[in-house]
């Protein structure tokens, strides 16, 4: 059973960024919601790094910090999330990568949004900051913001960083309650999870910016899609192959989700029409069918 008043934050790390992980933990400590626990899942075979992760609990005595080791080889990022999920004792679960941060109001606002709406999850807005090797901010933008939540928009691209949302596990669909992250993915594992989460549960939306997504302009960055820095050809090739493989798996997941629903297959494969297709000469039965489908979707997105 979960502890109803406890919020668990799951953080995965490979131990390469000690400055960043301390910054991340300090941001959690600054949150005014209590009680809080942090589940740090270290994945790797380096004993020295693992020791460093274990010692973090002593540096943050005012937080409940639990360190767990995932000794698996290769990229086990999704598995690490599942380990943290299974270990977490809180009814409410959030996530935080080791180089990102939360604002002091983050947990409180999300938890209030969930409780006030009765929904299974809530998300807030996230700032994107690029920083150099000295952790100095180079630029700040807000590319993830959307005026309203749309399942179709999420279907096309992930605009919700993993630390933007909080989940009430007591309200989750049964298919999401146990080890909900697909361990075959080493890219887009959070998007795959969010697609399923949003397919079954409409979120509550917090308009405040309560979290920061950091991208390094230096060599330590592993997300090549968000930085203009160069990388060696082998790394580029490996990264491209990984993204392509995971993209295929996510597309397969989408197909599985919509398979039981005739309307979903039509809606999610709907392509933007050219202006010429919107003229009155378009077949009346086709125009009527499209209007019916779109209206039905708006209703189902609200109540599914």
């Amino acid at each position: 059973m979960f502890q109803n008043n406890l919020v668990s934050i799951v953080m995965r790390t490979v131990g390469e960024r000690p400055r960043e992980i301390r910054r991340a933990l300090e941001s959690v400590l600054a949150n005014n919601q209590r009680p809080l626990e942090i589940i740090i899942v270290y994945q790797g075979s380096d004993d020295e790094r693992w020791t460093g992760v274990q010692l973090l609990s002593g540096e943050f005595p005012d937080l409940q910090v639990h360190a767990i080791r995932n000794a698996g080889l290769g990229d086990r990022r999704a598995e690490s999330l599942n380990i943290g999920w299974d270990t977490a004792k809180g009814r409410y679960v959030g996530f935080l990568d080791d180089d990102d941060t939360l604002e002091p109001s983050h947990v409180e606002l999300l938890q209030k949004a969930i409780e006030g709406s009765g929904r299974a999850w809530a998300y807030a807005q996230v700032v994107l900051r690029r920083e150099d090797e000295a952790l100095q901010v180079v630029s700040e933008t807000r590319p993830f913001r959307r005026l309203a939540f749309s399942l179709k928009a999420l279907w096309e691209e992930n605009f919700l960083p993993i630390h933007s949302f909080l989940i009430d596990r007591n309200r989750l669909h049964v298919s999401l309650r146990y080890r909900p992250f697909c361990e075959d993915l080493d890219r887009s594992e959070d998007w795959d999870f969010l697609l399923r989460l949003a397919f079954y549960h409409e979120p509550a939306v917090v308009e405040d910016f309560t979290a920061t997504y950091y991208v390094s302009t230096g060599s330590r960055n592993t997300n090549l899609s968000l930085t203009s820095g160069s990388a060696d050809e082998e790394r580029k090739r490996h990264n491209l192959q990984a993204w392509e493989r995971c993209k295929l798996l996510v597309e397969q997941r989408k197909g599985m989700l919509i398979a039981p629903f005739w309307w979903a297959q039509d809606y999610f494969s709907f392509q933007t029409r050219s202006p010429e297709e919107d003229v009155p000469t378009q077949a009346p039965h086709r125009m009527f069918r499209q209007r019916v489908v779109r209206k039905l979707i708006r209703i189902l997105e609200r109540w599914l």
Side-chain angles (χ1 to χ4, degrees):
M1 293 295 293
F2 307 131
Q3 296 181 24
N4 281 336
N5 64 336
L6 178 65
V7 176
S8 302
I9 304 294
V10 175
M11 177 187 294
R12 54 189 170 174
T13 185
V14 294
E16 291 182 341
R17 301 184 283 210
R19 296 176 302 169
E20 290 86 338
I21 193 171
R22 285 174 174 81
R23 178 179 65 184
L25 289 172
E26 287 170 356
S27 78
V28 177
L29 178 62
N31 264 258
N32 45 33
Q33 187 73 8
R34 291 293 186 276
L36 278 174
E37 70 168 0
I38 306 293
I39 311 297
I40 303 177
V41 183
Y42 166 73
Q43 195 250 306
S45 58
D46 190 304
D47 291 337
E48 185 175 348
R49 288 180 181 174
W50 167 231
T51 299
V53 170
Q54 290 176 292
L55 292 174
L56 288 170
S57 60
E59 295 184 33
F60 296 88
D62 293 332
L63 276 177
Q64 301 179 44
V65 180
H66 309 285
I68 303 171
R69 186 173 191 175
N70 177 0
L73 300 177
D75 194 328
R76 303 291 187 89
R77 65 183 72 189
E79 183 181 57
S80 291
L81 289 173
N82 281 334
I83 291 172
W85 178 276
D86 289 348
T87 304
K89 298 182 178 66
R91 169 180 172 176
Y92 300 93
V93 175
F95 304 91
L96 181 62
D97 283 346
D98 64 0
D99 58 340
D100 295 326
T101 61
L102 307 176
E103 294 298 314
S105 61
H106 177 80
V107 174
E108 180 182 19
L109 288 175
L110 289 176
Q111 191 171 6
K112 285 182 176 179
I114 290 173
E115 293 172 352
S117 64
R119 295 176 181 172
W121 66 297
Y123 73 87
Q125 311 305 316
V126 179
V127 171
L128 170 63
R129 287 178 181 161
R130 287 179 169 83
E131 61 183 5
D132 59 23
E133 291 285 358
L135 305 189
Q136 297 298 310
V137 176
V138 175
S139 65
E140 178 177 305
T141 55
R142 300 186 175 188
F144 307 113
R145 181 174 173 78
R146 299 293 187 277
L147 295 177
F149 179 77
S150 165
L151 177 57
K152 186 174 182 181
L154 184 66
W155 206 262
E156 295 170 354
E157 65 171 334
N158 184 14
F159 56 88
L160 295 174
I162 196 169
H163 59 310
S164 67
F165 55 89
L166 187 71
I167 297 166
D168 180 352
R169 295 198 284 185
N170 280 357
R171 293 188 169 105
L172 280 182
H173 187 272
V174 62
S175 66
L176 297 167
R177 293 177 185 171
Y178 175 73
R179 298 183 77 87
F181 291 89
C182 176
E183 295 181 9
D184 291 331
L185 294 170
D186 54 17
R187 302 290 191 282
S188 299
E189 71 286 346
D190 51 342
W191 187 27
D192 172 79
F193 168 72
L194 280 165
L195 286 169
R196 288 176 284 129
L197 178 64
F199 197 79
Y200 292 110
H201 304 286
E202 181 182 8
V205 180
V206 174
E207 293 298 324
D208 301 65
F209 285 82
T210 68
T212 301
Y213 185 111
Y214 284 94
V215 173
S216 173
T217 58
S219 59
R220 62 188 170 87
N221 181 40
T222 59
N223 193 337
L224 297 181
S225 65
L226 289 177
T227 181
S228 59
S230 61
D232 61 83
E233 291 303 317
E234 181 62 22
R235 183 183 173 196
K236 286 182 179 179
R237 184 184 63 81
H238 174 77
N239 192 63
L240 180 61
Q241 289 176 345
W243 279 111
E244 288 298 323
R245 182 183 66 83
C246 292
K247 179 181 178 181
L248 177 61
L249 290 174
V250 171
E251 291 302 319
Q252 291 173 349
R253 172 82 72 189
K254 291 179 183 178
M256 292 170 60
L257 283 172
I258 66 175
F261 306 99
W262 67 267
W263 54 265
Q265 297 175 46
D266 183 77
Y267 177 68
F268 288 111
S269 62
F270 182 78
Q271 300 296 319
T272 302
R273 297 188 305 275
S274 64
E276 291 77 11
E277 291 180 294
D278 288 323
V279 297
T281 56
Q282 187 176 359
H285 69 277
R286 181 182 175 189
M287 295 173 66
F288 175 75
R289 178 171 177 268
Q290 290 174 350
R291 288 198 301 270
V292 170
V293 169
R294 288 197 292 270
K295 184 174 181 179
L296 178 62
I297 291 303
R298 285 195 293 271
I299 296 172
L300 289 171
E301 279 190 331
R302 184 176 300 113
W303 297 108
L304 184 65

